[in-house]
Amino acid sequence: MNLPQLLVDLATGAPLPHQPVVARAGVRTRSTMAIGLGAAESPGTRRGIGGALLRAVARRGPLRGSAEVLTPVLHDPPSLIPPLVTLPRVLANPRAVEHLAGRSVGAYAVGASAVAIASAAAAGQSG
């Protein structure tokens, strides 16, 4: 599934597929930024992060023949901004990934007040 395209289509009101394609045989995709952030969590070393990023960009090993979907900089140059902001931080300090992840989740997580509103609405519909 090309999640970024689906989100852009949803946000812009573009027609959505009736049945999104979740997987297609023989097609490999990757998110280099996610690979770098994942490497910052485990093994959590600069060498590990650098190696993971190098393999992703060079499309080596299991990433051979893969296509970048989250930050396709050749087709969407501004998509380079998030990796340029986040990856140097985790290369300088791999533990920074915990702070980045916490802030990212906190920015879109459903809070207690939203749960209470949804619960109240659901209770009103069931009764």
Side-chain angles (χ1 to χ4, degrees):
M1 171 185 293
N2 185 343
L3 184 58
Q5 184 63 54
L6 189 60
L7 292 172
V8 167
D9 291 345
L10 183 63
T12 61
L16 299 176
H18 293 289
Q19 190 77 24
V21 177
V22 176
R24 193 174 287 142
V27 175
R28 289 181 178 215
T29 61
R30 71 178 187 285
S31 169
T32 302
M33 188 170 83
I35 290 168
L37 294 174
E41 287 186 317
S42 175
T45 64
R46 289 179 190 92
R47 181 175 295 212
I49 297 165
L53 291 172
L54 181 62
R55 284 188 299 278
V57 171
R59 298 187 297 181
R60 293 187 188 153
L63 300 173
R64 183 177 310 278
S66 65
E68 175 66 45
V69 292
L70 187 59
T71 56
V73 296
L74 296 178
H75 302 291
D76 180 21
S79 71
L80 186 58
I81 294 169
L84 284 178
V85 170
T86 58
L87 294 176
R89 286 185 67 188
V90 297
L91 279 167
N93 177 10
R95 289 189 200 156
V97 73
E98 296 170 16
H99 177 71
L100 287 169
R103 284 186 52 203
S104 296
V105 171
Y108 65 80
V110 176
S113 61
V115 171
I117 292 167
S119 297
Q125 288 180 356
S126 67

